[in-house]
Amino acid sequence: MEDYSSWTDERVFGSAGEQPGSQASYVPDIEIKRRLYILQREVLDAQLAAVAAQETATAEMKKQSNQMYWSTIGVFLTALITLVIAIVQQMNS
């Protein structure tokens, strides 16, 4: 019996094959199912890695957003203090 695992994807998926149910179609069919399973597993692993990367990016974005929020409040308070000092100096002169 031929070793279908050494065939290229094009040859395995592209061959016409035998009638379904015959022994000659059984082994290539099993090889096709095996390769599809491996491909689906690789896709799922890639999707899980993408989800993990998105979670990391979201956490970093939240941290940066929080820093920007407090930075904006700090700038506002600095401007407010500068305004109060300017008003006080103008009243004293």
Side-chain angles (χ1 to χ4, degrees):
M1 183 160 307
E2 198 164 352
D3 180 23
Y4 289 94
S5 64
S6 62
W7 282 19
T8 63
D9 288 343
E10 291 80 15
R11 189 171 175 196
V12 170
F13 289 102
S15 62
E18 294 285 325
Q19 290 255 338
S22 69
Q23 183 62 30
S25 71
Y26 176 74
V27 177
D29 188 49
I30 294 299
E31 181 63 21
I32 287 171
K33 288 178 182 176
R34 183 185 74 81
R35 289 186 187 192
L36 285 175
Y37 168 77
I38 290 170
L39 289 172
Q40 289 170 344
R41 190 179 65 200
E42 288 174 356
V43 167
L44 181 60
D45 289 343
Q47 288 174 338
L48 291 174
V51 167
Q54 285 177 338
E55 287 175 344
T56 303
T58 301
E60 182 64 28
M61 187 173 61
K62 183 179 177 183
K63 182 176 119 183
Q64 289 177 359
S65 176
N66 195 24
Q67 288 174 347
M68 191 183 323
Y69 173 77
W70 288 109
S71 175
T72 304
I73 290 176
V75 168
F76 174 75
L77 290 176
T78 302
L80 185 63
I81 291 170
T82 304
L83 179 64
V84 168
I85 291 172
I87 290 172
V88 168
Q89 283 183 349
Q90 188 176 14
M91 291 172 65
N92 288 336
S93 47

